[in-house]
Amino acid sequence: MITRATGEEQMEDPTNGQTDAGEWNGEQPGIHPSIARAFRALDGSGLPWVLLRGEDDLVRPNGDVDILVAGGQLPRLDALLAGAGFRRIMARGHGSHRFYFNYDATEDLWLKLDIVAEISFGPFQQWHTLLAPGCLQRRIRNGLLWLPATTEQAWLQLLHTMLDKGGAVRPGRMETVRVAGALASTDDVIAAFVDRQVGPGTAAQLLKLVRSGSVDDFREPARRMASALTRNAPLRTRLTAGRNRILRLLSPTFPGRFRRGLVVGVIGPEGADTTILLRRLGETFPIPSRYVSLGRTAPGHGGGWVTRIPGGLHGQQVIRQLRSALAAKYHYRRGRLVLVDRPAYDASVPGYAAAGGQKETALAAALAPAPDVLLVLDSPGGVMPAGNGGHLHEVLEQRRQARLETARRLPNAWVVDASQPQPLINRVATGIVWEQVSGSSAVAAPGQPGQPGQPKSAAPEAGGQP
């Protein structure tokens, strides 16, 4: 049966008289401490929620942690999870999906919660269902977790594979699909729902296919299921898919920062590889990033003839820096993470102005957005990185003190000990940036970063237990 609403077909809620299965007495899964805090926060709201899948992958999740909540939780979800150390990233065009991130610097681990208030399928959430209320009503308890009823969880996994993934099964997920096929039943309410929406006998045929182990044969049945669901509500399906496809062209960003990105700058001594640090930040951070450099560069191809023109080399440097500054402004306006190598603060370092860099950098600084977070790489105790240009120790120390003075003067500057191994520098820097932009004190960076302008080391601490 298909009900109609506002002139369009919608998938019905197949709720029947099935009672709550109650407490499940199986083995309690391990859970990362931050995720455990999020689950407790959801419990404390007093409204129902369930972990849709992946209860055996919560210590170091290999992907999203998928959670279904009651619709009444959405208005207070941001504040609720902020208390557990998670910050929402706005990603438009994903239906009811809300994405929350946390960074565990102790383990160099990003955690992502994918929370929905409805159950929709398809790559653009175009096939809406009314399954969520019944799923929440029939949930079962497993220690700290709430899970869907066993057969419903199995069916949700199968529909996720067929409709969201187009029938494609990665090698690491084959066993999950086989287990779901073994647990699912044709007597389940979701099986009846599939038969009503796609055609009589569809659920039984799908279970037979899954249990045969022929995962390579999933794509054609998945295509037929998708076509049937689209025929049930063609206008709604196409409008939803088209709208979400367009909205996804907008860059994910933090709430309250729409059309405004985040700028992270790095300065440090000669020989400190700021580029590696910034690119590592860009690879792992949960919003799109772009790298730009405002520093002076060696002449490229054709540099020989440029040097023969009076002021040619200087003009070339100005053009390059202005182009980088305009690129930074553009990506900042697109809401992206802008990673600025050698921002304008280098102009205060002794020797920089003498080399003719001050005017070039001042021009670029007038156009480039100011860093929200400035990381100052420092080599304390006389330890200087390789590739320092052969400068005397006294000169290098003078420049180091100038950078430290910049850090003390700016409230958004943080000093990072650059004498550590690069992976630890990356970890500390990521923790600092995330803590500042998320406004969360729950990010446990190694060595626990203190006040701005003070060196940050990376001495990992053991994480807590849920």
Side-chain angles (χ1 to χ4, degrees):
M1 181 178 66
I2 298 175
T3 60
R4 292 184 177 272
T6 64
E8 289 218 340
E9 300 168 344
Q10 292 198 17
M11 299 185 200
E12 63 165 333
D13 175 14
T15 303
N16 64 4
Q18 214 172 301
T19 59
D20 191 330
E23 191 87 13
W24 185 67
N25 296 318
E27 182 180 354
Q28 303 298 304
I31 306 176
H32 188 281
S34 294
I35 296 176
R37 285 195 296 270
F39 289 161
R40 292 192 182 100
L42 292 172
D43 263 348
S45 72
L47 293 173
W49 64 275
V50 296
L51 177 71
L52 289 171
R53 60 185 70 87
E55 67 270 21
D56 57 346
D57 185 30
L58 294 175
V59 178
R60 290 184 62 91
N62 183 25
D64 302 353
V65 178
D66 297 303
I67 300 171
L68 171 67
V69 301
Q73 277 183 316
L74 293 182
R76 45 181 168 159
L77 204 56
D78 291 5
L80 196 69
L81 293 176
F86 285 85
R87 177 73 185 270
R88 184 182 178 189
I89 300 294
M90 295 289 293
R92 296 161 183 81
H94 293 270
S96 72
H97 288 255
R98 290 190 176 203
F99 304 106
Y100 295 84
F101 288 83
N102 193 357
Y103 178 67
D104 182 345
T106 303
E107 299 186 30
D108 191 22
L109 175 67
W110 283 100
L111 302 168
K112 179 183 178 183
L113 307 181
D114 181 355
I115 300 183
V116 297
E118 62 183 33
I119 296 177
S120 297
F121 296 104
F124 295 100
Q125 289 74 50
Q126 66 265 40
W127 298 308
H128 175 67
T129 80
L130 300 177
L131 292 170
C135 183
L136 291 169
Q137 177 187 350
R138 295 181 291 271
R139 62 182 185 157
I140 60 176
R141 186 83 183 189
N142 178 14
L144 190 58
L145 305 180
W146 283 102
L147 302 173
T150 303
T151 55
E152 291 189 21
Q153 186 180 27
W155 270 112
L156 291 174
Q157 177 62 57
L158 293 177
L159 293 180
H160 173 67
T161 300
M162 301 299 288
L163 299 176
D164 295 341
K165 304 300 182 182
V169 183
R170 291 184 287 109
R173 304 297 295 174
M174 288 183 181
E175 184 61 24
T176 299
V177 174
R178 291 192 182 101
V179 170
L183 294 175
S185 166
T186 54
D187 296 328
D188 187 83
V189 292
I190 298 185
F193 163 78
V194 170
D195 284 345
R196 282 191 292 270
Q197 295 298 317
V198 182
T202 300
Q205 293 171 11
L206 179 57
L207 290 185
K208 182 179 179 181
L209 178 63
V210 173
R211 290 168 181 172
S212 72
S214 304
V215 294
D216 293 336
D217 299 331
F218 283 5
R219 293 184 183 274
E220 181 57 27
R223 187 193 64 79
R224 290 198 299 268
M225 291 178 68
S227 297
L229 293 176
T230 298
R231 285 195 302 271
N232 290 343
L235 181 59
R236 177 192 176 97
T237 298
R238 291 184 174 89
L239 286 177
T240 300
R243 180 193 63 203
N244 287 344
R245 186 191 296 268
I246 292 172
L247 287 174
R248 290 186 191 183
L249 297 177
L250 299 173
S251 296
T253 187
F254 293 102
R257 300 182 68 95
F258 181 58
R259 298 189 63 81
R260 187 163 65 91
L262 176 73
V263 182
V264 176
V266 176
I267 61 175
E270 294 95 333
D273 205 330
T274 54
T275 302
I276 289 180
L277 172 58
L278 288 173
R279 294 201 182 280
R280 173 61 178 166
L281 273 172
E283 290 168 0
T284 60
F285 225 73
I287 62 175
S289 67
R290 293 295 186 276
Y291 169 89
V292 297
S293 175
L294 297 183
R296 289 166 291 148
T297 59
H301 296 296
W305 68 264
V306 170
T307 60
R308 292 192 291 270
I309 300 175
L313 185 58
H314 177 73
Q316 185 183 61
Q317 293 288 352
V318 170
I319 291 172
R320 285 176 177 172
Q321 288 188 299
L322 292 180
R323 186 171 55 196
S324 295
L326 290 173
K329 177 73 77 174
Y330 168 77
H331 294 302
Y332 174 74
R333 292 298 184 189
R334 288 290 304 272
R336 294 167 176 160
L337 174 67
V338 183
L339 305 166
V340 181
D341 201 349
R342 307 290 176 179
Y345 303 109
D346 260 351
S348 63
V349 175
Y352 191 88
Q358 191 173 33
K359 292 181 180 179
E360 299 164 10
T361 303
L363 286 171
L367 293 176
D372 297 288
V373 178
L374 178 66
L375 301 175
V376 180
L377 301 186
D378 179 48
S379 296
V383 178
M384 296 296 170
N388 58 37
H391 295 295
L392 295 175
H393 182 276
E394 291 77 9
V395 174
L396 296 175
E397 181 61 23
Q398 186 182 17
R399 295 181 179 181
R400 173 181 176 240
Q401 292 303 322
R403 281 187 291 268
L404 293 178
E405 177 58 31
T406 297
R408 286 189 287 268
R409 179 167 47 86
L410 299 173
N412 62 337
W414 294 75
V415 180
V416 177
D417 183 355
S419 65
Q420 305 169 101
Q422 189 67 45
L424 295 184
I425 296 175
N426 297 340
R427 188 183 303 187
V428 170
T430 303
I432 290 171
V433 175
W434 176 250
E435 182 173 334
Q436 298 312 298
V437 301
S438 69
S440 170
S441 60
V443 180
Q448 291 298 330
Q451 298 299 317
Q454 298 298 319
K456 312 302 181 296
S457 63
E461 296 181 356
Q465 295 299 318

